Amino acid sequence: MESLQNSQLFRPFAYIDGNWVAADSGEQIEVDNPATGETIGTIPRLGRAETERAIEAAEAAFPEWRALTAQERADILMKWYDLMLEHQDELALIMTLEQGKPLKEAAGEIVYAASFLRWFAEEARRIYGETVPAAKGNQRILVTKQPVGVVGAITPWNFPAAMITRKVGAALAAGCPIVVKPASQTPFTATAMALLAERAGVPRGVFNVVPGQASEIAAALTESPLVRKITFTGSTEVGRSLMSQASQHVQKISLELGGNAPFIVFEDADLDAAVDGAMASKFRNGGQTCVCVNRFLVQSSVVNAFCEKLAAAMNSELRVGDGTQEGVNIGPLIDSDGVEKVSRHIDDAVEKGAELLLGGHRHPLGGNFFTPTLVSNANQDMLVAQEETFGPLSAVFSFDDEEDAVAMANDTPFGLAAYFYSKDLSRVWHVSEALEYGIIGINTGLISNAAAPFGGVKESGLGREGGHQGLEEFLETKYLCIDLG
Ligand SMILES: O=CCCCC(=O)O
């Protein structure tokens, strides 16, 4: 087995104020490879006191960081971008060993993650203000943008690199220092990136990584009046609690939460293209992505043909295994809870009348591996219609007409991503406007891009990441009223 210990970028420490540190208590968290169950290393379990020190370090670093010119901050971000690409393979291996996604996909995530550093480096120089015609002739109104201040970020295990750069790139470009709590399952990608940030010239205190006890770290971040912005990617349940915690000091907050993505296939769609898009969206990271398809809604006249084509693609294209092995494109799920949830959704669907077309069971490899599964005849009473499965289960529902499809798609408290396939231009507009989602993929299953605003409506979150909108989240608007006398 490949070893993490051989990697030059392997850093089993927290990173505070430019120092690699242990927990005050000396406690450690074991990090396991989800493909083998082996412990690949340990990371300090930080708590409140260390997080408070990281916040103070960030606050101390703020004046100098914000005082750099946008070009100077951009140059550092670009250097970090270059270093991530230079170390793409090594970072990908760290990610695969701790997260499980296949190496090729992990390498793709490194490029995606780095693209946020480049994007925000470019955007840093476009933090424009405005002048506004004043109500009085002797006055002038100016609107300026300033960095919000110290940021607290909490990031998930499913995209251990990209969910960090999407937040850190924007914060740093805006002039804000940041304290990041990475997921306990995937801390080594975060610390490897911190090492590269240090090499790129990110000054001490500007980017801090505090792995450890989630509730204590979240409490330290939300209870500190020094932290002016919280940004989180993860479950709606945790997001809701952070939102109420952040109210104490009225911190600005961005939340990228759960989804329940519909993928609608209309009868006028190119079915082969729809199946390609379905495969790309559904099986990204083994189904463990907040924008992965959760519900295939297919017009009744083409549902059988779509199921046949999707079954054929799943049979021929998917290879389950340890992500370090050549040819594998579906890794393990992150842990046994993930496996249990997929099993529960399948059992519930079959019990309530779904037809099992493929899979339906754990994979013969055992552990956290699950066999890609396809069910048809799904309905709104099933768990798979109500909750994000976060695994390789494709559930196909059928609908009669456009109105029916839109109603089914919107029948959820979530509103992150939705997809649909149609060649009818008028339908493309109508359905795009009617879907209550923040992101719509039209004739495509892949929507993620640094230049685009990523985020949801309803219980899928607040705010946007990426795009120029992603930078706004880390800026305050200031209005200057100048009286000329
Ligand atoms: O689970 C959500 C991570 C977002 C991945 C993406 O940017 O597409």
Side-chain angles (χ1 to χ4, degrees):
M1 194 199 78
E2 310 264 6
S3 162
L4 213 53
Q5 270 70 19
N6 294 337
S7 166
Q8 302 286 312
L9 297 183
F10 179 57
R11 277 288 185 279
F13 303 103
Y15 184 65
I16 297 178
D17 200 16
N19 300 308
W20 295 98
V21 299
D24 292 354
S25 65
E27 280 182 44
Q28 302 272 347
I29 300 172
E30 283 187 358
V31 180
D32 297 338
N33 180 341
T36 61
E38 287 167 31
T39 298
I40 52 174
T42 60
I43 193 85
R45 184 196 292 272
L46 268 49
R48 182 183 285 267
E50 303 92 322
T51 308
E52 284 168 358
R53 288 204 287 278
I55 294 168
E56 278 155 24
E59 177 69 9
F62 183 34
E64 273 187 41
W65 182 247
R66 71 184 294 183
L68 292 183
T69 63
Q71 182 66 66
E72 286 166 333
R73 290 197 299 273
D75 288 346
I76 293 173
L77 286 171
M78 280 307 294
K79 185 94 190 288
W80 189 9
Y81 164 81
D82 288 338
L83 286 170
M84 282 194 58
L85 293 189
E86 212 174 283
H87 293 274
Q88 181 187 5
D89 292 343
E90 207 174 336
L91 288 167
L93 180 60
I94 292 174
M95 190 187 298
T96 295
L97 292 177
E98 65 179 3
Q99 202 275 340
K101 68 178 67 178
L103 265 180
K104 192 166 164 215
E105 205 173 337
E109 186 186 333
I110 297 304
V111 175
Y112 178 48
S115 76
F116 287 104
L117 300 178
R118 181 173 62 182
W119 172 261
F120 287 116
E122 291 160 351
E123 284 298 294
R125 289 181 294 131
R126 288 187 267 279
I127 300 175
Y128 302 137
E130 292 177 66
T131 59
V132 179
K136 295 181 185 162
N138 63 337
Q139 289 193 340
R140 300 292 180 270
I141 293 177
L142 270 77
V143 180
T144 63
K145 297 290 168 104
Q146 292 189 323
V148 65
V150 174
V151 177
I154 302 179
T155 58
W157 52 262
N158 61 345
F159 284 79
M163 294 307 96
I164 291 183
T165 52
R166 191 146 84 181
K167 294 168 171 55
V168 177
L172 266 53
C176 303
I178 189 163
V179 177
V180 177
K181 188 231 167 273
S184 295
Q185 295 93 330
T186 57
F188 297 131
T189 304
T191 54
M193 290 200 306
L195 181 68
L196 296 179
E198 184 180 71
R199 287 186 194 163
V202 174
R204 54 187 292 179
V206 170
F207 174 36
N208 306 275
V209 181
V210 291
Q213 227 290 316
S215 57
E216 277 189 37
I217 294 172
L221 292 172
T222 51
E223 284 169 21
S224 169
L226 299 179
V227 175
R228 295 310 317 148
K229 160 93 191 175
I230 296 290
T231 169
F232 169 70
T233 297
S235 72
T236 295
E237 192 190 346
V238 174
R240 216 178 255 124
S241 142
L242 279 172
M243 195 171 168
S244 77
Q245 289 176 263
S247 67
Q248 298 169 75
H249 296 292
V250 195
Q251 289 161 324
K252 215 170 151 80
I253 189 161
S254 311
L255 301 169
E256 202 268 272
L257 309 176
N260 181 359
F263 185 107
I264 309 171
V265 182
F266 289 102
E267 59 192 0
D268 66 294
D270 174 336
L271 279 195
D272 292 316
V275 168
D276 287 347
M279 293 294 290
S281 170
K282 176 69 241 182
F283 296 104
R284 186 168 169 222
N285 196 18
Q288 304 171 106
T289 308
C290 52
V291 291
C292 274
V293 179
N294 206 51
R295 298 170 289 155
F296 287 102
L297 312 181
V298 186
Q299 197 148 13
S300 41
S301 51
V302 292
V303 70
N304 289 340
F306 178 79
C307 286
E308 265 171 41
K309 284 175 186 281
L310 184 58
M314 286 171 64
N315 251 330
S316 64
E317 292 173 26
L318 300 178
R319 191 168 152 225
V320 177
D322 185 323
T324 57
Q325 280 165 19
E326 192 63 37
V328 162
N329 53 15
I330 298 275
L333 294 174
I334 190 71
D335 56 23
S336 57
D337 286 351
V339 172
E340 197 277 321
K341 188 171 192 192
V342 179
S343 278
R344 189 155 39 86
H345 279 198
I346 295 170
D347 293 347
D348 171 79
V350 170
E351 220 168 83
K352 292 177 180 159
E355 190 183 345
L356 187 60
L357 300 179
L358 218 60
H361 48 78
R362 291 163 192 239
H363 194 270
L365 285 170
N368 296 328
F369 293 100
F370 206 95
T371 302
T373 296
L374 174 61
V375 300
S376 64
N377 205 24
N379 67 52
Q380 296 293 94
D381 294 333
M382 297 174 180
L383 286 177
V384 65
Q386 295 152 16
E387 299 172 1
E388 207 175 19
T389 305
F390 239 53
L393 164 62
S394 303
V396 180
F397 303 63
S398 73
F399 66 86
D400 293 328
D401 57 25
E402 190 177 304
E403 201 184 333
D404 199 15
V406 170
M408 283 168 76
N410 288 342
D411 184 15
T412 167
F414 300 102
L416 185 55
Y419 307 83
F420 68 92
Y421 274 69
S422 170
K423 288 193 215 138
D424 177 334
L425 184 59
S426 144
R427 170 174 277 163
V428 163
W429 275 106
H430 289 134
V431 174
S432 304
E433 286 166 4
L435 288 171
E436 296 163 355
Y437 288 82
I439 305 167
I440 315 281
I442 303 155
N443 296 325
T444 178
L446 293 175
I447 39 70
S448 303
N449 188 311
F454 189 105
V457 301
K458 294 160 75 178
E459 294 182 26
S460 287
L462 290 175
R464 295 293 179 267
E465 295 190 320
H468 69 84
Q469 295 86 348
L471 192 56
E472 284 292 324
E473 303 279 343
F474 297 87
L475 295 167
E476 286 289 10
T477 296
K478 187 178 271 184
Y479 147 53
L480 314 182
C481 181
I482 308 174
D483 196 295
L484 304 177

